[in-house]
Amino acid sequence: MKVLKFGGTSVQNIGSITKVIDIVSKQLQENGRLIVVSSAMGGVTNQLLEIAQRAVKGQDFRSAFAEIEARHLEVIRHFIPAKSQNSVIMQIKLFLNELEDLLQGVGAVKELSPKTKDSIAAYGELCSNFMLSGILQLHFPEAAFVDTRKIVLTDDRFGKARVQKKETEQNIERFFLNSKAKLFCVTGFIGANKKKQTTTLGRGGSDYTAALFAATLQADEIQIWTDVDGFMTADPRIVKAAYSLSEITYTEAKELSYFGAKVIYPPTMVPAFAKRIPISVRNTFNPDFPGTVIYADAKNYGDYVRGITSIRDINLINIQGSSLVGNTNFSGRLFALLSRYEINVILITQASSEHSITFAVAPEDTDRTERILREEFEMELLAQKIDPPEVVRDLAVVAIVGENMKSTVGISGRFFNALGRNKINVAAIAQGSSEYNISTVIARQDLNKALNVVHDEFFRSHMKTLHVFCLGTGNIGAAFLEQIKLHADALLRNENLKIQVHGISNSRKMLVQQEAIALKDWKDQLDSRGQEAVLASFVEQMQAFHFPHTIFVDNSASLEPVQKYDLLLRAGISVVTCNKIGNSGRFTQYRAFKEAAGIGKASFYYETNVGAGLPIISTLKDLVYSGDRIVKIEAILSGTLSYIFNQFKGV
């Protein structure tokens, strides 16, 4: 037996449900029995909660309610022949009539209790699963609808109810022992307490339902069908080079999911973890792709780091002072206080001197945390035994995850070296003794850049990507872009070097974008989509992308871009220029550029400034590096004089 769980995007419309039918048909042919757990149609649960809020405020909700009804009826009428529609439509309308009565009651008493909110939210799952069972019965007459309110027993904690595991497992075993059906459409997310009042299981509740049924019935596998190709090495919206992982461990899945990979919600998978049931994460819209399989034990797959993940928005709170040193009670008071006020601590770090404790919280919890800290430690603050809590805002967490990282030398060094090379400052570090996760806190504005450079370090170290912004589209600039276009494939094939142009500007127009600009028609794109050229804006957008290995190419002959060199080099952006103005002025300016390049760990190349592009500077550098000493340089530094002497034939 297998358990298939479909998320809201998998059942949101006719097209996605068509794919679900194909997946279920194929799986049922391969397995004797199948359990399908489905969420509400995409967006419906949120719509129901919004409607409830309208009802409690006395606002009209009829149009939104009608939209939900229309979505379900449209799907039913598409898949089910007219002669077989009545029973399915009738039950959907009964559900919706019950829902409407609830909403009318909310509007009448102007009160929306957690209990009522659970009852309202449950109708998304009830409608979607009954609708799906009616559709599947056309193909598989043995398909059955299962209302988990009759099976999953919970406590009275509405909104995040806890399952009464022993009684629920007995109910599940009893139900499936007595049922002759081969295909079950099971409502996720919902249960009921001993009073038969509807409850919901909270975030990831449908995943938990799938795991609970699978564990109780000793299923061979759980398949989580969603809208992504499994777990990725990084967020593909930020790291374009990210790719799917074929397999990971339970531990790695928990770490990756906690830090932002919204594929599964790990606490809901505990029943499956306990029974060591494999979990397969698949894409409903790409069903032939194998996705990611989550196993109990680590496989020898070679990669030490399995994924890079992040939390985009956190704040750090730092407490320090003499009262912390050797005070065994302080940490207990601190974290008991945070627990009492239900403040989730994302990350903790403490110096070995015990002089300070730093922890991370969500932005919405920050002000409240600072206030209760001041109240709790008022006496220590007055006695100046501790300093006032220090809050550092606008931060993010980047973490590398891998079970095989344990006891592997050099992982941390590579991680922090990649960040340091790219001028990304680390505000805090946390690593557990398990060594499965190394987390760093950085400025939020550096997050995209950090994810890309760390991914390059661990997953694409064989290939380097240069992000180029080109100023000047005259003869030299146009020829430069043509060279990149002609030689891009050869550079990638022979040198493992990928060049992507993200910005092109001349004196009239500029085009800057996060995706690479197609060089085959860059002139047309610049003319049609380019904005008015403003160098300050060009530079500002280039910095805002936070790309690793960013290069500013100055193919102009203007003073204005030269005045930006110092800023760019200090920011870690390399400068390549044929503009002679920067290096033909005062020597102090040239020296300032070189110092800025050293500070920013950036490169400053200007070979074309002398000798009409002949490799004079690089040759001299090589001679000096090999031990030679330059005593004297003699040259004709005028291109005009060189031309005259070359053309002069004598008289």
Side-chain angles (χ1 to χ4, degrees), residues 58 68 219 238 294 325 350 365 399 425 439 453 456 470-471 488 590 630-631 650:
I68 292 173
I238 300 173
I294 308 171
V325 180
Q350 181 177 18
D365 291 332
N425 184 54
S439 300
V453 300
D456 277 354
C470 185
L471 185 66
Y590 169 79
I630 297 173
V631 178

Side-chain angles (χ1 to χ4, degrees), residues 5 160-161 163 165 189 201-215 222 224 254 257 263-274 279:
K5 184 265 176 178
K160 198 175 182 182
V163 172
K165 200 163 180 289
F189 182 63
L201 308 183
R203 178 184 170 192
S206 295
D207 288 355
Y208 186 82
T209 302
L212 186 63
F213 275 70
I222 300 172
I224 305 292
K254 286 187 284 187
S257 295
V263 180
I264 62 171
Y265 185 49
T268 65
M269 291 288 110
V270 170
F273 294 165
I279 302 168

